[in-house]
Amino acid sequence: MNHYDDIVVGSGISGMTMSMLLGRAGRKVLLLEKQHCVGGSMRRFVRNGIPFDTGFHFTGGFGELLSDMLKALGIESSIEPLPLDTSDKNHIYLADSAEMFDLPSGFDAIRQALYKYFPAEKNAINQYFDMEISIRNRTSFMDIDKLNTLDLPELFEDIDENYLSLKEYLDSITACDKLKTILAGFALCYGSPPKITSLANHCRASYGLHRNLTKVKNGGQAFVDAFKKEARNHNIEIRTGTTIKSVENIVRQKASSVTLSDNSCYSIDNCIMCIHPKEILNILPARKVPQQTRETVLNYQESITFFSIFTELKIDYPVKPNLISMLSCADIDTIIDNKSPASAMAVLTGTEEINGSSHSLLCAFETEAPSSGDRWRNTLHRSKDKSYQQYKLKKAEDMIRRIEHILPEFKGKIKLTNTSSVLTFEDYIPPYGSAYGIMHKMNETPLFGRLPIRNFYAAGQNAVLPGLLGAMLSSFITARFILGKNFIVYSKLKTNLR
Ligand SMILES: Cc1cc2nc3c(=O)[nH]c(=O)nc-3n(C[C@H](O)[C@H](O)[C@H](O)COP(=O)(O)OP(=O)(O)OC[C@H]3O[C@@H](n4cnc5c(N)ncnc54)[C@H](O)[C@@H]3O)c2cc1C
């Protein structure tokens, strides 16, 4: 029987990161992806020669966590940041009061901007940002240098803010609903409502975005291309259209071999699953998973789903990178509730250079209840169903009308290229199409690290935090468990972390 040291399941950013860390440590790695191409939510699609990003548009973390991880993976030079932080490139629009808040990046700049909008709330604004910075500084596992060198108890020190909800905290510092909405705004980038999200997790997810909101040249594809190159350098084998069919030879809760869906069998040291926890349950032998673990996983609640439009702007100048979050009301708890009619729409603009000519693009993602797809969920060839096409077109036209209302300079210039419904997301982000996997609820243990079969591990956006940073970080932490201290193998010329 052939042998792999490690089999990694799922080729999203988490699986790619995991494979690179293990490959760089000299291990023999096989990466499995059940779809027919690598990249998960980082993939782009191309229409009329123009590429559109699906699950990656902007990130924080350049100049700190993200840059450190890219250096550790040896792909820093392949990922080029395109900052949105020159001035007020992040906007929150509250539809019920028709107010636009222009928010710059950087802690000093954002404090100053908020003092102007909320002069009576200076204390609350300072308290919040001091807290966000303090939580980030007290989270040792978000510091790659510490992750590489500290002992585990120091790395995972418990903090009180893990047990305080974001909502409770915001209510304690201000009575101003609009300010609370703005401070909780990046909840839309992880998809759990403030009433069930810990203050600590919110601050960990928001810190990088407040500090330095950035796009990346060539979007998610830049990460996929960099990974493919590294995979060749470190002999990481990639098999698409393949998953694990069965896990065998389990002795003392350790499995020594697996059979893949193509019926090939391998002996293994470890298997790392960078996929949705409910997909993990489908792979692990049921008799080896304690009933309590199974119930916990089955009770996880899914984060938000989106309806999206992908458009080209018919304008004769390159549009600047911009993010506008349009909220139908000033209550994020209501917005991130799949049953509520309240919604949030993220509108993103940017320019792509293709063969020497620039294309101004606008994409928008609006929260949408999964039930909106019920009528067509079980139909074959739904793309040919007229009523489905009509629903998508009507929804897209409605979104464009609302975008034109707040961005009148684009009136009549937004040319629709493609749409994706909650059903499209279900096809591309298995099993439920939820943008950020499960909701990360306070007091609920995620499926992370060592699994009931002890040489099997769980990582990915469902394990630590959603988003590019959270998914990559989950793989760094898991690699630390597997490989031990000093697990990062730096390229010879890159010995310094910063
Ligand atoms: C519309 C949208 C916009 C987003 N925008 C941003 C953004 O701007 N910035 C940001 O940081 N984050 C964003 N996110 C979130 C971000 O995309 C995710 O948090 C992150 O990419 C998740 O990475 P992952 O590796 O954990 O999972 P995924 O990318 O979901 O990868 C999992 C992979 O595993 C494969 N797989 C599943 N089951 C199996 C199996 N049984 N066997 C083999 N393979 C399997 C899947 O096909 C998939 O390729 C967005 C998400 C969405 C949906």
Side-chain angles (χ1 to χ4, degrees), residues 37-174:
C37 50
V38 169
S41 299
M42 302 305 280
R43 281 178 300 162
R44 296 183 131 187
F45 69 88
V46 178
R47 284 289 178 282
N48 308 325
I50 302 170
F52 291 92
D53 277 299
T54 53
F56 176 69
H57 305 271
F58 55 83
T59 183
F62 277 105
E64 45 118 25
L65 177 61
L66 178 57
S67 299
D68 291 346
M69 291 196 285
L70 297 175
K71 273 180 200 163
L73 296 172
I75 59 170
E76 193 202 11
S77 60
S78 310
I79 308 297
E80 190 183 323
L82 303 173
L84 277 83
D85 62 348
T86 40
S87 59
D88 55 345
K89 294 294 182 278
N90 176 24
H91 315 263
I92 292 187
Y93 177 75
L94 299 182
D96 51 5
S97 55
E99 278 171 288
M100 181 76 90
F101 297 88
D102 301 327
L103 305 170
S105 263
F107 289 107
D108 286 341
I110 197 169
R111 279 183 216 241
Q112 296 302 328
L114 289 176
Y115 296 160
K116 285 194 189 132
Y117 289 120
F118 305 100
E121 298 289 339
K122 225 171 160 175
N123 276 345
I125 294 164
N126 285 337
Q127 247 178 294
Y128 173 80
F129 285 107
D130 289 349
M131 177 61 88
E132 189 171 294
I133 294 167
S134 149
I135 287 177
R136 172 63 179 82
N137 289 340
R138 284 181 284 141
T139 305
S140 300
F141 63 79
M142 290 183 84
D143 182 326
I144 295 307
D145 197 13
K146 289 183 182 164
L147 195 59
N148 205 24
T149 52
L150 289 187
D151 288 323
L152 293 180
E154 289 172 273
L155 268 178
F156 296 101
E157 219 176 306
D158 212 4
I159 60 173
D160 289 344
E161 292 82 358
N162 285 332
Y163 305 95
L164 175 66
S165 77
L166 172 61
K167 179 172 167 37
E168 272 177 279
Y169 175 72
L170 292 175
D171 287 346
S172 76
I173 60 167
T174 177

Side-chain angles (χ1 to χ4, degrees), residues 9-16 32-35 37-43 54-59 189 242-244 274-276 279 283 306 308 348 365 425 428-430 433-436 459-462 465-469 471 474:
V9 184
S11 74
I13 188 63
S14 166
M16 293 190 283
L32 300 178
E33 167 56 53
K34 85 170 174 189
Q35 305 212 31
C37 50
V38 169
S41 299
M42 302 305 280
R43 281 178 300 162
T54 53
F56 176 69
H57 305 271
F58 55 83
T59 183
C189 297
T242 313
T243 186
I244 292 185
C274 302
I275 55 179
H276 195 287
E279 289 274 315
I283 290 179
F306 288 124
S308 2
L348 291 130
F365 298 82
F425 280 107
Y428 286 95
I429 315 175
S434 40
Y436 309 111
Q461 66 171 347
N462 300 284
L465 279 175
L468 174 90
L469 289 182
S474 74

